[in-house]
Amino acid sequence: MFGVIDLPTYLAGLVLIVLLPGPNSLYVLSVAARRGVRAGYTAAAGVWCGDTVLMTLSAAGVASLLQANAVLFGIVKYAGAGYLSWLAVGMLRAAVGMWRARREKAVEDTPAAVPAAPAEERPYRRALVISLFNPKAILFFVAFFVQFVDPGYAYPALSFVVLGAFAQLASFLYLSALIFSGPRLAAAFRRRKRLSAGATSAVGLLFLGFAVKLSLASA
């Protein structure tokens, strides 16, 4: 079908990959928990747009350019790691404040699973930046997709489009599940301040781990 081979194996691998926690899905979950379903989908739209751009660049051959140009890869890599670190530090600072205040009486606007967002936070833009500043994602799309493209097919770009469409569908279903679970998690965290502070700390450390992993990645 459109130059795609072994589709069942691709779909099985895709499900496993989508289910792995990453900075994109964690950020969408945090936004949904703090600000509700609508804001969660706003952040998810940033993820989908970012992934679409990366898939398009992959099909256009930018992955080969990143692999061949160590300087370009390094610039994108460290910029992405820096941004993730900045987010992680913000989460950890909020967690420290929550640990200090956990013995006090709860106030209604106490943050949930992650630090409260400032009024100027733009979930779409943040999610988009998180997605785009990940050169490994471009390389991943090429390495994973190419295994399921018939080398004899006359229009390989169309094969990439088909594979990308399945990937976006899986992402939509998964992020939707996270978004609708976010408000429920928020209610639970508001009732349990220690759990809220612990979860905030964990998410911040995870983002810091993602930053370290990205900074150590090689082309």
Side-chain angles (χ1 to χ4, degrees):
M1 181 182 70
F2 301 109
V4 175
I5 58 177
D6 205 2
L7 183 59
T9 301
Y10 169 75
L11 294 178
L14 184 62
V15 169
L16 294 177
I17 292 166
V18 168
L19 291 178
L20 290 175
N24 291 340
S25 57
L26 284 175
Y27 181 68
V28 171
L29 176 60
S30 74
V31 170
R34 287 184 278 112
R35 301 178 58 177
V37 171
R38 182 174 181 178
Y41 271 110
T42 300
V47 173
W48 296 325
C49 288
D51 286 348
T52 298
V53 171
L54 294 183
M55 290 177 191
T56 302
L57 293 176
S58 300
V62 173
S64 299
L65 176 61
L66 287 177
Q67 285 180 312
N69 192 324
V71 175
L72 177 60
F73 183 89
I75 291 173
V76 178
K77 178 180 70 173
Y78 288 115
Y83 186 74
L84 290 176
S85 298
W86 179 74
L87 291 178
V89 169
M91 292 178 180
L92 292 173
R93 289 179 61 187
V96 170
M98 292 166 68
W99 282 112
R100 290 175 178 173
R102 67 185 177 85
R103 289 193 178 94
E104 300 177 0
K105 290 185 178 181
V107 290
E108 291 183 357
D109 60 347
T110 300
V114 291
E120 68 274 10
E121 181 188 20
R122 295 178 175 84
Y124 173 85
R125 186 174 67 180
R126 280 200 174 188
L128 181 64
V129 171
I130 291 173
S131 295
L132 292 178
F133 276 91
N134 186 5
K136 297 297 287 186
I138 302 178
L139 301 179
F140 163 77
F141 284 133
V142 168
F144 185 59
F145 283 6
V146 75
Q147 303 174 55
F148 304 96
V149 175
D150 183 355
Y153 187 63
Y155 306 101
L158 181 57
S159 303
F160 269 80
V161 170
V162 173
L163 295 172
F166 279 114
Q168 291 290 52
L169 176 60
S171 176
F172 173 80
L173 295 175
Y174 177 58
L175 292 183
S176 293
L178 293 182
I179 289 168
F180 282 101
S181 67
R184 296 180 182 177
L185 288 175
F189 283 121
R190 288 191 184 99
R191 293 192 300 267
R192 299 173 179 84
K193 299 304 174 184
R194 180 177 296 182
L195 182 62
S196 177
T200 303
S201 302
V203 173
L205 290 173
L206 278 173
F207 267 68
L208 194 59
F210 290 134
V212 173
K213 183 179 179 181
L214 179 58
S215 66
L216 296 177
S218 57

